[in-house]
Amino acid sequence: MSEKQAPEVVSQEAAHKVESSFAKIQKPLLGAIVAVLVIGGGWFAYQEYVVKPKEEKAAEALFKAEQYFAMDSSRLVLNGDGQNKGVLNVISNFGGTKAANLAHYYAGISYLKMGEFENAVKHLKDFSTDAKQVQLLASGCLGDAYAELNKKEEAIEAYKKAANTFAEDETNSSEYLFRAALLLETTGKNAEALELYKELKTKFPKTDKGFQADKYIYRLNIEKNDLAE
């Protein structure tokens, strides 16, 4: 063979190398494709035949408890009525479902109303939602439970979180910002409280707490000036 091979020979050799390379990776490649299909199919089957029925059963189990929650019947919400299970049962048996997550909210609020604040904290901490107005209320109620337990720092953080979750709900947002400011005063953090009262006045001037903010700002400013003299 000459030093310079004919173009068709070079082309044949190149083609042979490509075929050999493809042959080497063909099995692993096909195996990977099959694995993806199997995993994808398995995921679909799991969602369709395990997750979906579980969600439906959980929602069904929660239905009566939701009615009792609307009726403000806290013990029935928690434990059921003998024929229908309560939210504690939903949490125990349907963990990981949307209904179980919502059950934590119902449980936390119910325990708060009953004065069982440790249990209220436990369940409200386990609840989260993308529905901002509901999350606002959950965080605010968590703050109330902490405050009742005299855990002021935790309560302040929960109130501040509530106030900043859904500012469109001006009534509740201003209320929780006000509670955070009041608690800061009781812990001796007057400078931080003053800043929150100013924020309250700026963000929610048309609310009841926004109207009240001026007198708290005035009082804290007077106290600050007295101390500076």
Side-chain angles (χ1 to χ4, degrees):
M1 187 178 294
S2 64
E3 291 183 5
K4 292 186 178 180
Q5 295 176 313
E8 60 270 17
V9 174
V10 174
S11 178
Q12 288 174 1
E13 286 185 356
H16 179 69
K17 286 180 180 179
V18 171
E19 288 174 4
S20 296
S21 297
F22 182 73
K24 288 178 182 178
I25 67 169
Q26 188 175 25
K27 268 192 174 182
L29 181 62
L30 290 175
I33 293 170
V34 170
V36 169
L37 291 174
V38 168
I39 291 170
W43 181 86
F44 175 79
Y46 177 75
Q47 292 293 318
E48 190 68 20
Y49 300 111
V50 177
V51 174
K52 188 176 178 181
K54 188 178 181 182
E55 287 282 2
E56 290 173 353
K57 287 180 180 178
E60 185 180 338
L62 188 63
F63 179 71
K64 192 63 180 179
E66 288 180 310
Q67 291 183 323
Y68 284 130
F69 186 80
M71 294 163 57
D72 210 21
S73 301
S74 297
R75 292 199 180 278
L76 293 176
V77 171
L78 293 166
N79 302 308
D81 57 14
Q83 291 184 322
N84 301 283
K85 304 293 185 182
V87 295
L88 298 181
N89 180 270
V90 174
I91 292 167
S92 296
N93 292 290
F94 300 99
T97 63
K98 294 176 183 178
N101 179 53
L102 189 54
H104 279 298
Y105 174 76
Y106 293 141
I109 301 298
S110 297
Y111 277 125
L112 181 63
K113 290 177 179 178
M114 292 165 59
E116 296 187 30
F117 304 118
E118 291 282 5
N119 281 327
V121 166
K122 173 185 171 184
H123 287 285
L124 288 171
K125 281 177 67 178
D126 283 342
F127 171 75
S128 65
T129 178
D130 292 331
K132 291 184 177 181
Q133 192 162 13
V134 178
Q135 186 63 62
L136 181 161
L137 296 174
S139 297
C141 287
L142 178 60
D144 289 341
Y146 275 133
E148 292 289 351
L149 293 168
N150 204 34
K151 294 183 177 180
K152 293 182 179 181
E153 295 296 331
E154 291 90 339
I156 290 165
E157 289 307 309
Y159 284 146
K160 287 165 70 175
K161 179 181 177 182
N164 290 298
T165 295
F166 187 65
E168 289 85 348
D169 184 348
E170 294 192 353
T171 299
N172 284 310
S173 294
S174 62
E175 176 64 38
Y176 290 127
L177 194 60
F178 179 74
R179 292 184 193 185
L182 280 180
L183 270 185
L184 280 167
E185 282 196 71
T186 68
T187 61
K189 297 181 179 179
N190 289 352
E192 291 181 42
L194 180 59
E195 290 306 309
L196 286 193
Y197 287 129
K198 289 179 179 178
E199 183 181 341
L200 179 61
K201 181 182 176 181
T202 301
K203 283 187 175 179
F204 310 108
K206 297 180 180 179
T207 65
D208 178 60
K209 292 299 186 288
F211 282 125
Q212 293 181 37
D214 272 332
K215 67 180 181 182
Y216 292 93
I217 293 169
Y218 176 76
R219 177 171 55 77
L220 287 177
N221 275 324
I222 292 297
E223 290 177 6
K224 185 170 67 173
N225 292 334
D226 287 344
L227 290 173
E229 291 177 0

